[in-house]
Amino acid sequence: MGSLTTNIVLAVAVVAALVGGGSCGPPKVPPGPNITTNYNAPWLPARATWYGQPYGSGSTDNGGACGIKNVNLPPYNGMISCGNVPIFKDGRGCGSCYEVKCEQPAACSKQPVTVFITDMNYEPISAYHFDFSGKAFGAMACPGKETELRKAGIIDMQFRRVRCKYPGGQKVTFHVEKGSNPNYLAVLVKFVADDGDVIQMDLQEAGLPAWRPMKLSWGAIWRMDTATPLKAPFSIRVTTESGKSLIAKDVIPVNWMPDAIYVSNVQFY
């Protein structure tokens, strides 16, 4: 009889767990479809959070999962955000731009501001989730209400994809990553206007006509691994999400160095 009672109690517990979902906390929301370069799309709903210092640029190292550093400085100026899966796109959403706004709570200005995607998040709280820097989150508030809005924590918001705009004279820029050598070249790309994000980079060696596809390493960093040493200078072809391409001719010079920045003379305008 004792064994039967134990089995009944266990069965009731299992049923209760199944009915209750078997877990604590809010339900997980699956990600929405990937955001594309449809710049005429309507505003979409999302949820917003923030991280880091209240007036800061998110991560303590002023970087993020895209590999872009110094996002506290121009031209980003701390106006950055993490994006969830359909926004970050495993790195292929790095550098894309969004107008964002909120209408509630009362501290919201209801006026759009623009943010750059430089980091990722995977918290399943909404089909679309922006985790802003403290500065960017506060920028959605009425003047003087930034602290009040940040105290709300998680809020509903609206967003839409927009073309990225940079100050006049800003060119597409490349950073050769630490550890690069003649057989391994890793390059971060940033300050890409218009679409903002890059879906393919190709490399052309000195004196060779062929373009060789680079592989996405992580974030906004693309790499080339070769058995034979690469011959500089290198030209780089950048292709953005809408299929536009440009060529930065000989942008990485013969005497290139790891952990160095090389500014091209081209831009998507």
Side-chain angles (χ1 to χ4, degrees), residues 139-197:
M140 294 190 291
C142 296
K145 299 286 187 179
E146 296 87 354
T147 299
E148 180 181 336
L149 183 61
R150 280 189 286 267
K151 286 181 179 178
I154 302 176
I155 63 172
D156 293 324
M157 58 163 283
Q158 297 82 45
F159 75 99
R160 64 183 178 186
R161 180 85 178 262
V162 295
R163 298 182 189 277
C164 294
K165 298 178 181 179
Y166 287 96
Q170 180 67 69
K171 305 300 184 182
V172 176
T173 299
F174 303 92
H175 180 263
V176 176
E177 299 294 292
K178 293 179 181 179
S180 291
N181 58 66
N183 297 93
Y184 168 75
L185 182 67
V187 181
L188 178 143
V189 57
K190 60 182 179 178
F191 307 153
V192 177
D194 201 51
D195 289 341
D197 51 6

Side-chain angles (χ1 to χ4, degrees), residues 9 25 42 54 65-66 76 79 129 142 149 162 183 192 214 221 228 238:
V9 170
C66 288
Y76 298 116
M79 293 296 291
H129 174 202
C142 296
L149 183 61
V162 295
N183 297 93
V192 177
M214 301 179 76
I221 298 171
T228 56
V238 177

